[in-house]
Amino acid sequence: MDNIHNIHNIYFVGIGGIGMSSLAFYFKSNGKNIAGYDKTPSDITVSLAEKGVQVHFEDAVNLIADEFKNKENTLVVYTPAIPKNHTELNFFFNNNFNVVKRSEILGEITKNSFSLAVAGTHGKTTTSTMLGHILHEAGVNATSFLGGISENYNSNLILGGTEVSVVEADEFDRSFLKLSPNIACITSMDADHLDIYGDSTELEKSFKDFGAKVTEKLIVKKGLPIDALSFAIDVLTFGIDENADYNASNIKIENGAYIFDVKTPTEIIKEVKINLPGKHNVLNAVAALAMANSYGISLPVIAKALLSFTGIKRRFSYKIKTDNLVLIDDYAHHPTEITAVANAVREMYPLKKIVGVFQPHLFSRTRDFSDDFAKSLSLFDELILLDIYPARELPIEGITAAWLLNKVSLKYKQISSKENLYNSILKSKAQVIVMIGAGDIGELVKEIKNKLTSEN
């Protein structure tokens, strides 16, 4: 890995993934020759093609350009989401190419820069994107690798220098243990990825192992089971009305924006404003503020940057916003995230009927959290459930959308096919439609938006 500067070709297996593509854009902008495979075309693969990156969508060795078949000057990067029997990936393994996981490359980048890393089962994408935006607005020459498409930059990469890096530290597959963070934050530690960890104590242990890698400051959500005594560095807390080191209080909502005060260990800033819905985003903003402030950025500069932060695609993204019809798109795929979205929608539209359209992601996650899913999905007035999106998994007997629907306590609930979704939504008569999930429901949103727009 130390010879990454000498390598000219980098081939990505799973190049369309959100984390993979940010690396592909980064290396392309640094003059490397980039190509890759992905399962399906998307907005991201279109952007890659526009930058001159060749992407193909069929798993076939003969589609790999010859220049990438020279193992002396080609590095191969893959994501753990790629199945073990993938033909191209096995070709590279069998021919002794230098093959690494995405997390190893990110680890290398953080090792060679001053790194700010955001970890947590929820909130890390918004927090790291806010942080990247704050550093950019403050004139810090940082490069930020993000797990979502920032609305401000229309990209999952905020390109800057190589001295400072902002990274989203992903607990999936324990990949965040490859990073070398100087300042880090842990936003949440809810049970997730139990297909990898087995149980929540193993997940907690990996977050503690991550915390132990931090060299300067660790900032954690107040109340998380992390014992400050077990670290050799400063551990600071953040929270809302809970006497944390970085504490938000006096929260009010005006015209869909949140306004609040923040007390830090040394000072107070009043009337910080963010134009994002949901109290969970106040928490994300406080976490980003705490990290930026710990890095040395003044509170007025941070507050000014937060004011101009416009959010992330598929995170409470308004696709239609009129007086009589609202369509919201969100990536929520865990019960805690769904609850946050449902509460935020209810806060914005207390008098309107709200229908949730949910595509469960992974059979194992649906099975492991079925009762919590049922509870969070029951917060909508009506529910339309799509089939489970398998991603990297094979079906599990008995774990189906119908099985989950049965646990939901709503009177108005139904299962719909993708093909019939538009008709199901029309029948609902709800004025607020919330489409949530991490599978290919994001692609369906465009179609639903276009049909609703032309009908209305």
Side-chain angles (χ1 to χ4, degrees):
M1 277 295 298
D2 298 328
N3 60 354
I4 196 155
H5 300 296
N6 312 331
I7 280 171
H8 182 56
N9 298 327
I10 308 179
Y11 189 87
F12 288 84
V13 186
I15 195 165
I18 198 80
M20 291 281 276
S21 56
S22 67
L23 285 172
F25 285 125
Y26 172 73
F27 285 119
K28 183 70 181 169
S29 70
N30 282 315
K32 304 283 186 197
N33 190 24
I34 308 295
Y37 155 89
D38 205 83
K39 198 162 77 169
T40 44
S42 65
D43 290 347
I44 287 177
T45 60
V46 169
S47 308
L48 285 163
E50 284 167 358
K51 294 267 194 300
V53 176
Q54 285 185 328
V55 184
H56 61 261
F57 304 98
E58 191 189 330
D59 175 18
V61 173
N62 65 332
L63 293 177
I64 302 169
D66 288 344
E67 60 203 298
F68 292 94
K69 289 179 180 168
N70 176 350
K71 67 178 175 203
E72 303 312 315
N73 65 0
T74 299
L75 175 70
V76 178
V77 185
Y78 74 102
T79 159
I82 293 290
K84 299 276 182 281
N85 61 352
H86 194 271
T87 314
E88 291 184 23
L89 187 57
N90 283 304
F91 163 80
F92 291 120
F93 276 129
N94 296 339
N95 288 286
N96 299 319
F97 275 72
N98 187 0
V99 182
V100 297
K101 281 186 183 172
R102 167 187 161 259
S103 54
E104 291 172 69
I105 298 268
L106 212 47
E108 204 59 28
I109 290 168
T110 61
K111 202 159 73 183
N112 296 308
S113 60
F114 187 95
S115 175
L116 295 94
V118 181
T121 41
H122 323 292
K124 60 180 173 286
T125 300
T126 302
T127 303
S128 55
T129 308
M130 282 177 169
L131 178 60
H133 178 64
I134 292 167
L135 295 187
H136 181 269
E137 291 294 287
V140 177
N141 198 6
T143 291
S144 301
F145 299 88
L146 309 171
I149 305 291
S150 157
E151 297 275 12
N152 289 82
Y153 306 93
N154 196 26
S155 176
N156 51 352
L157 180 74
I158 305 174
L159 202 55
T162 52
E163 308 85 66
V164 181
S165 62
V166 172
V167 297
E168 184 171 326
D170 192 1
E171 75 284 355
F172 172 72
D173 206 27
R174 296 182 171 82
S175 59
F176 61 176
L177 299 183
K178 298 269 195 311
L179 304 176
S180 303
N182 300 79
I183 297 173
C185 163
I186 299 174
T187 61
S188 52
M189 282 163 46
D190 291 333
D192 197 2
H193 305 303
L194 298 185
D195 53 328
I196 302 287
Y197 285 99
D199 64 31
S200 56
T201 51
E202 277 300 303
L203 182 73
E204 281 178 20
K205 182 183 175 299
S206 78
F207 273 104
K208 286 170 185 167
D209 292 343
F210 169 74
K213 296 179 76 75
V214 182
T215 59
E216 293 191 19
K217 262 193 190 126
L218 177 62
I219 296 155
V220 299
K221 161 87 175 70
K222 177 108 179 192
L224 288 184
I226 286 214
D227 180 8
L229 300 173
S230 52
F231 298 106
I233 51 160
D234 285 349
V235 178
L236 297 167
T237 57
F238 72 94
I240 297 174
D241 289 330
E242 40 190 351
N243 207 13
D245 296 310
Y246 283 87
N247 192 58
S249 60
N250 302 325
I251 298 178
K252 51 185 191 275
I253 303 173
E254 284 176 13
N255 302 326
Y258 274 91
I259 299 166
F260 50 96
D261 302 339
V262 180
K263 177 188 78 66
T264 78
T266 54
E267 54 190 320
I268 290 175
I269 181 162
K270 292 196 176 287
E271 307 269 302
V272 176
K273 183 176 177 182
I274 58 165
N275 291 300
L276 296 179
K279 207 170 178 181
H280 59 290
N281 279 319
V282 174
L283 209 50
N284 293 333
V286 177
L289 176 148
M291 288 189 80
N293 191 231
S294 297
Y295 178 71
I297 296 171
S298 74
L299 295 179
V301 169
I302 294 170
K304 187 177 178 215
L306 284 173
L307 188 59
S308 65
F309 181 75
T310 48
I312 298 161
K313 289 191 175 159
R314 299 221 61 222
R315 298 297 196 285
F316 213 98
S317 301
Y318 282 104
K319 295 296 166 188
I320 298 174
K321 193 179 184 184
T322 63
D323 290 342
N324 52 6
L325 185 65
V326 175
L327 174 63
I328 293 164
D329 176 26
D330 196 281
Y331 184 71
H333 56 285
H334 182 284
T336 308
E337 296 162 347
I338 294 169
T339 300
V341 170
N343 288 340
V345 178
R346 187 72 66 196
E347 207 170 60
M348 293 292 156
Y349 302 102
L351 304 174
K352 293 194 169 172
K353 184 180 278 188
I354 304 162
V355 62
V357 180
F358 179 53
Q359 180 188 48
H361 186 265
L362 297 179
F363 295 100
S364 61
R365 187 185 278 127
T366 306
R367 175 198 63 200
D368 294 341
F369 303 107
S370 60
D371 291 346
D372 294 333
F373 274 124
K375 209 177 287 176
S376 62
L377 292 168
S378 298
L379 293 170
F380 296 107
D381 296 313
E382 299 180 13
L383 176 67
I384 299 170
L385 206 53
L386 296 168
D387 281 331
I388 298 171
Y389 184 79
R392 54 187 179 268
E393 293 184 334
L394 293 170
I396 297 172
E397 197 178 333
I399 308 303
T400 63
W403 172 78
L404 177 60
L405 191 77
N406 201 30
K407 292 173 174 274
V408 174
S409 64
L410 293 175
K411 184 178 172 189
Y412 299 103
K413 57 180 183 177
Q414 59 170 298
I415 286 181
S416 173
S417 64
K418 292 180 196 175
E419 296 71 30
N420 202 35
L421 180 58
Y422 177 64
N423 292 332
S424 302
I425 287 172
L426 280 191
K427 278 191 197 123
S428 137
K429 302 266 195 298
Q431 295 157 295
V432 181
I433 304 151
V434 187
M435 294 181 68
I436 44 179
D440 57 4
I441 187 169
E443 298 301 309
L444 287 175
V445 171
K446 292 177 207 160
E447 185 192 316
I448 298 297
K449 177 194 171 172
N450 292 341
K451 285 184 173 171
L452 287 170
T453 310
S454 59
E455 290 278 319
N456 282 277

